[in-house]
Structures are given as structure tokens and as C-alpha cells.
Amino acid sequence: MLILGISATTKTGSIAIYDEDRGLLGEVTVDIEKTHSGTLLDKVDKLLEWTSKKISDIDEVAVSNGPGSFTGVRIAIATVKGLFFVKKIPVYPVNELDALAYQVNMPGEKVVSVIDSRKEKIYYSISRIEKDGLKLLEGYHVAKLDDLLEKLHAENCDYYFSGDGAFNYRGKISDKLGEKAKFPLYSNIKIKASTLILIRKNYEKADIYSLKPYYLEKSQAEKEIKNGT
């Protein structure tokens, strides 16, 4: 069975192809300054070419459905729908905050997954990997970084940080929490599409017709419509 993984939730875009018999065949992870709209399909095509596979060979898809960039999440979802609308293969939408926690790979430790939404506004969750899977200690939230750090500072325990927010704000996190803030290897801080593939069956399969992004807040356009601007 061949599985394709896709994430375009943040500036880090990642695509992977995984064979259940042979393991990871290839993965491309790239940081970009603009949106993934002009490059995501090209990356998929190139990865298929490099692994000597065709899009018709793909049996399942794991895609990050957010939270994160409104544009990025929509691009990933639209790409999956465009590629597999006719074939109707199983699609697993995976929460990226969960994937970031799994990626730390520190069972029993508290993990703060942080996605940067710019200007120190973040999406975050606090979780712990246990024997029976991921346990959310504090579910998915939108907050200011300072508010989260004040909350964590008041608690007497260590936290592992993951996500592009942990990378972008590492200095500020360390200044506030000191030795209580732990950071995994650089390769495990930013999202990898292979992680989505490996944990996909922890999530329900989605109907490709109704596959949709998971947002924690309304987009700027929706806010303006609501406010009549």
C-alpha cells in the first residue's frame, strides 16, 4: 500500500510517500516565504518522479487539515481533492498540533505544540503521549504567546516545545521559562509529512467530497463580513 502525506499549514511545506512494505520512499520539506499555491503540485510531481511512482499508484492520503494558515490549509485540501476526486481513495485529515506532539517522541512528557500565526499570536495545544496514544491535557487554542508563557511559568513542570512557533520564538520561550523549556532535535520541531502518514489511523477517514479545513478562528475576510466592513 502506498500512502501520500501532505502539509502546507505553515511556511514549512512537506510531502512524503510511504510504502507499508518498504517504509519511507521519499520526503520533501521546504520553508517558503510566499504561499504554497504555485509549488505544491510541482513538489508532488517531482516526488512521484524521484520515487518512480504515479499518482494512480497512491492508495491513501494523510493531509494536515489545520490549524494554521488559512490559505495554506485550503491549498492542501484543494490539492488532495483535485488529485483524488475521481479515484475516491481513503483520506485521513490529521490535526497538525497533534502531529507535532507525536513528532517530539517523548512518551510521558508534556508537549506544547505551537503554530505561529504571526505577530506572536499562536495556535497551541498541550498534550502527552501515553501507552494508548495521545492525551490532550489542554485542547486546541488561539492565544498570545505572552499569555501562554505566563500560564506555563506559573506551573512547576517541564515542557517540550514543538512546531514552527517553538522555532520562531525559541529565545523568548527560553528567557521566560528557563530550564523548564525543552526543545527536541531541529528535525523534529517543524512538521514532517511522514508523521501525518504514521499517525493517520488515529483519525477517522473523511469523505473526499466533504473534506474541509479545521480552523480555530475566523479568517480576516469572514471577520470583515461579520463586522460589515
Side-chain angles (χ1 to χ4, degrees), residues 18 39 55 70 84 92 132 143 178 183 192:
Y18 185 92
T39 62
I55 199 68
F70 294 100
F84 302 104
Y92 293 89
D132 57 350
F183 297 89
K192 294 183 287 190

Side-chain angles (χ1 to χ4, degrees), residues 98-229:
D98 291 351
L100 289 166
Y102 275 105
Q103 213 162 268
V104 172
N105 194 27
M106 293 293 293
E109 301 290 345
K110 291 183 177 181
V111 179
V112 184
S113 302
V114 186
I115 293 174
D116 187 6
S117 185
R118 295 185 302 176
K119 297 181 180 179
E120 297 193 1
K121 184 177 74 173
I122 57 169
Y123 305 114
Y124 82 92
S125 66
I126 302 175
S127 53
R128 181 171 60 223
I129 298 176
E130 301 184 342
K131 289 183 179 179
D132 57 350
L134 189 71
K135 179 178 181 180
L136 278 174
L137 305 177
E138 186 173 331
Y140 316 117
H141 298 281
V142 184
K144 285 292 187 181
L145 178 64
D146 284 342
D147 293 339
L148 172 61
L149 294 182
E150 285 292 340
K151 168 187 168 57
L152 299 180
H153 182 67
E155 300 178 7
N156 187 28
C157 62
D158 293 345
Y159 289 96
Y160 281 82
F161 285 81
S162 183
D164 71 330
F167 179 82
N168 294 343
Y169 301 124
R170 179 169 182 161
K172 188 165 187 175
I173 294 169
S174 296
D175 288 345
K176 183 67 176 181
L177 301 182
E179 294 183 355
K180 292 192 292 184
K182 311 292 184 182
F183 297 89
L185 294 173
Y186 172 80
S187 60
N188 289 339
I189 285 183
K190 294 188 179 183
I191 193 64
K192 294 183 287 190
S194 54
T195 304
L196 307 180
I197 293 171
L198 294 175
I199 67 172
R200 71 192 186 284
K201 292 196 175 176
N202 293 333
Y203 301 84
E204 293 184 6
K205 285 186 288 188
D207 182 340
I208 198 164
Y209 299 108
S210 59
L211 182 65
K212 60 183 180 180
Y214 171 69
Y215 296 137
L216 283 176
E217 59 178 342
K218 294 183 182 298
S219 69
Q220 187 59 38
E222 290 173 313
K223 292 175 183 176
E224 290 174 356
I225 291 172
K226 182 177 179 181
N227 294 332
T229 59

Side-chain angles (χ1 to χ4, degrees), residues 58-122:
I58 302 298
D59 299 300
E60 292 183 355
V61 178
V63 59
S64 172
N65 67 335
S69 160
F70 294 100
T71 302
V73 175
R74 286 198 299 269
I75 288 168
I77 297 292
T79 298
V80 170
K81 287 186 174 182
L83 291 173
F84 302 104
F85 192 79
V86 175
K87 193 176 180 183
K88 302 182 184 68
I89 65 175
V91 178
Y92 293 89
V94 179
N95 186 292
E96 186 143 330
L97 290 170
D98 291 351
L100 289 166
Y102 275 105
Q103 213 162 268
V104 172
N105 194 27
M106 293 293 293
E109 301 290 345
K110 291 183 177 181
V111 179
V112 184
S113 302
V114 186
I115 293 174
D116 187 6
S117 185
R118 295 185 302 176
K119 297 181 180 179
E120 297 193 1
K121 184 177 74 173
I122 57 169

